[in-house]
Amino acid sequence: MTDFLSLAEDIAREAGDMLLAKRPTMSREIETKSSPTDVVTALDKASEELIRERILAARPGDRILGEEGGEEPGDSDVRWVVDPIDGTVNFLYGLPEWAVSIAVEVKGEVVAGVVNVPARGEVYTAALGRGAWLGDVRLRCNTGVPLDRALVATGFGYSAARRAVQGEVVAKVLARVRDIRRGGSCAIDLCSLAAGRVDAYYERGINPWDYAAAGLVATESGARLGGLHGRPVSPSFAVCAAPGLFEQLHDLLVSLDPERDV
Ligand code: LIP
């Protein structure tokens, strides 16, 4: 597991350094994906190519799921889950909240995760059963925070119809909590929760590459991560907070039916 983590960390650092160096001169030409607001830059693709090359050079035969390149076939028990830039819109605008995220799954279970936030000089790591770390500082999420004092991070998808529902839901949540933050990177939101910079997080419609590595950072910091109605976290829904707050936020969200479509 240590080998997986150190390899993932080396690769996430190399990709982050490349992105930091190239971002100032990057082309403003972008492509769109699922909707006009869902963008991909040439550097998302370059970062994923670099990460795939490094993984396969070290571990030929492993499977890779990446945001831009999809699933690399293979019959290994090991699958790498890669987001070459989480927070692409922030990256495009020169905001610092973007990350390179790499998780390692063995037989479907995430055993190691790295979230590199190059513009902040922060690297979050976690290994299953061995804790979550920011550099050499052990992370523990905030505990004992009631819902009405909770700082809650969330995000919005790229579909206009889905955003209409997300807007209704967040308005109701806002009235019940300390405040809301929309940072623009699911991976950083979950790492911020692990570091005690927010108390809770929820979002509909994220993908495994957004939450695989950071989800382990959050759970290894003591947080609970799941979906609604006792389901595991999935692209349908994610809720995360320390036990106690998790249930309060979960129940509020269930009452608002946030998975509905307009
Ligand atoms: C983004 C997330 C963001 C979320 C967006 C999107 P991308 O990932 O991290 O927090 O709200 O829906 O999934 O597109 O920047 O890799």
Side-chain angles (χ1 to χ4, degrees):
M1 205 187 297
T2 310
D3 288 348
F4 283 136
L5 189 59
S6 65
L7 178 59
E9 184 172 347
D10 287 350
I11 297 171
R13 283 181 183 274
E14 187 182 348
D17 290 348
M18 181 277 287
L19 291 167
L20 261 189
K22 293 200 170 163
R23 206 209 70 80
T25 54
M26 73 183 270
S27 162
R28 288 284 177 274
E29 280 179 27
I30 51 168
E31 290 170 33
T32 56
K33 297 195 284 185
S34 61
S35 81
T37 50
D38 186 5
V39 295
V40 58
T41 71
L43 288 178
D44 289 77
K45 293 179 180 173
S47 174
E48 185 160 322
E49 271 167 33
L50 182 157
I51 293 167
R52 282 177 185 267
E53 269 176 35
R54 297 293 183 272
I55 293 170
L56 291 175
R59 296 196 45 94
D62 280 0
R63 290 180 295 139
I64 303 172
L65 172 67
E67 175 170 15
E68 311 307 337
E71 181 102 34
E72 179 107 22
D75 43 21
S76 164
D77 283 343
V78 178
R79 183 173 81 152
W80 298 69
V81 183
V82 173
D83 194 338
I85 304 178
D86 187 52
T88 301
V89 174
N90 287 342
F91 182 77
L92 187 63
Y93 280 78
L95 295 166
E97 308 296 306
W98 53 273
V100 177
S101 172
I102 302 179
V104 186
E105 287 175 356
V106 177
K107 295 183 181 164
E109 182 174 40
V110 180
V111 298
V114 177
V115 177
N116 180 14
V117 189
R120 277 204 206 147
E122 294 186 342
V123 179
Y124 296 83
T125 58
L128 188 62
R130 299 191 191 173
W133 303 81
L134 170 52
D136 55 8
V137 176
R138 178 96 190 242
L139 300 177
R140 311 254 182 220
C141 68
N142 295 337
T143 55
V145 179
L147 186 62
D148 62 1
R149 308 245 180 92
L151 184 60
V152 179
T154 190
F156 309 115
Y158 294 118
S159 132
R162 189 167 280 185
R163 282 181 172 186
V165 176
Q166 288 173 322
E168 285 171 24
V169 170
V170 77
K172 297 268 171 38
V173 174
L174 179 58
R176 298 282 304 276
V177 301
R178 169 164 276 154
D179 210 340
I180 293 286
R181 292 291 179 269
R182 197 298 191 238
S185 159
C186 158
I188 297 177
D189 287 342
L190 287 165
C191 290
S192 297
L193 190 155
R197 294 174 180 171
V198 297
D199 299 303
Y201 165 77
Y202 76 90
E203 187 163 354
R204 178 191 183 188
I206 47 176
N207 290 292
W209 46 80
D210 299 316
Y211 62 74
L216 186 64
V217 174
T219 53
E220 285 293 324
S221 80
R224 183 172 167 193
L225 172 67
L228 297 181
H229 306 286
R231 293 191 288 256
V233 63
S234 76
S236 299
F237 213 88
V239 189
C240 190
L245 179 56
F246 177 98
E247 289 74 18
Q248 292 176 56
L249 180 59
H250 170 275
D251 293 354
L252 172 62
L253 289 164
V254 164
S255 75
L256 301 173
D257 190 14
E259 293 175 300
R260 71 187 186 280
D261 286 315
V262 276

